[in-house]
């Protein structure tokens, strides 16, 4: 695990924040290099699928020319939701690192754990990486939203 990749994910989350999107960013790394990025764009795209992880996985598949991302790792600022956790499992990403825990929708242990379902691919995961910075960005976003 390398914090420099979480810093890049945070930079992407900040871009989403600045555009009025829930601030979540994701990067996919292969052999120590970022090969794909993603960030939340649901409001702009008017599409429920426009989560940071889904965008990053799609970009990584396009970059590598296949759907199996078994040599990659993903860094995301917020614990993946059910959809994104399922996409991570289906893409066969073996290492998942996230910042803030999501006690409402997180599916890497906070509410359920899709990454540990029996009879499926089971990636290694670690949460709480740069948790304070990741949590603050989300808290600030919703505080700003309530003030409007």
């Amino acid at each position: 695990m390398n914090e420099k990749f979480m810093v890049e994910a945070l930079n992407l989350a900040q871009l989403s924040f600045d555009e009025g999107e829930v601030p979540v960013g994701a990067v996919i790394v292969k052999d120590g290099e970022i090969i794909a990025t993603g960030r939340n764009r649901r409001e702009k795209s008017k599409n429920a699928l426009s989560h940071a992880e889904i965008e990053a996985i799609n970009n990584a598949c396009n970059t590598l020319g296949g759907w199996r991302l078994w040599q990659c790792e993903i860094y995301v600022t917020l614990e993946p939701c059910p959809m994104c956790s399922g996409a991570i499992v289906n893409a066969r990403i073996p290492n998942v690192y996230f910042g803030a825990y999501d006690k409402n929708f997180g599916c890497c242990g906070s509410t359920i754990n899709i990454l540990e379902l029996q009879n499926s691919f089971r990636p290694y995961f670690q949460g709480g990486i740069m948790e304070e910075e990741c949590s603050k960005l989300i808290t600030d976003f919703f505080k700003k939203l309530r003030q409007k």
Side-chain angles (χ1 to χ4, degrees):
M1 195 284 301
N2 194 324
E3 281 190 5
K4 79 176 184 179
F5 299 126
M6 189 60 76
V7 168
E8 289 303 317
L10 268 167
N11 290 337
L12 292 162
Q14 183 66 54
L15 290 173
S16 289
F17 181 101
D18 295 343
E19 292 178 358
E21 300 275 358
V22 175
V24 180
V27 299
I28 295 182
V29 174
K30 181 176 183 252
D31 299 327
E33 298 292 326
I34 295 173
I35 62 158
T37 63
R39 59 189 178 91
N40 270 3
R41 298 178 203 254
R42 286 188 304 175
E43 298 302 324
K44 184 176 181 179
S45 71
K46 308 291 187 231
N47 187 329
L49 302 177
S50 295
H51 285 211
E53 300 95 322
I54 300 298
E55 186 174 281
I57 290 169
N58 185 57
N59 291 337
C61 290
N62 289 334
T63 297
L64 297 177
W67 63 269
R68 290 178 188 89
L69 303 179
W70 62 274
Q71 295 175 311
C72 299
E73 51 194 20
I74 188 167
Y75 293 79
V76 60
T77 57
L78 182 65
E79 181 180 2
C81 72
M83 175 179 67
C84 295
S85 295
I88 288 166
V89 168
N90 281 294
R92 309 292 194 267
I93 300 172
N95 296 302
V96 180
Y97 304 102
F98 64 89
Y101 289 87
D102 184 346
K103 294 176 183 19
N104 295 319
F105 301 105
C107 289
C108 299
S110 287
T111 59
I112 62 171
N113 195 334
I114 289 176
L115 302 185
E116 289 189 341
L117 289 177
Q118 290 196 347
N119 302 321
S120 72
F121 179 78
R122 296 170 84 175
Y124 168 81
F125 64 94
Q126 180 182 348
I129 296 141
M130 298 182 66
E131 182 176 9
E132 188 175 314
E133 296 89 337
C134 294
S135 293
K136 183 178 181 337
L137 194 57
I138 296 215
T139 301
D140 289 351
F141 174 79
F142 284 109
K143 194 181 295 181
K144 181 180 171 184
L145 200 61
R146 284 189 295 276
Q147 290 172 350
K148 284 188 175 182

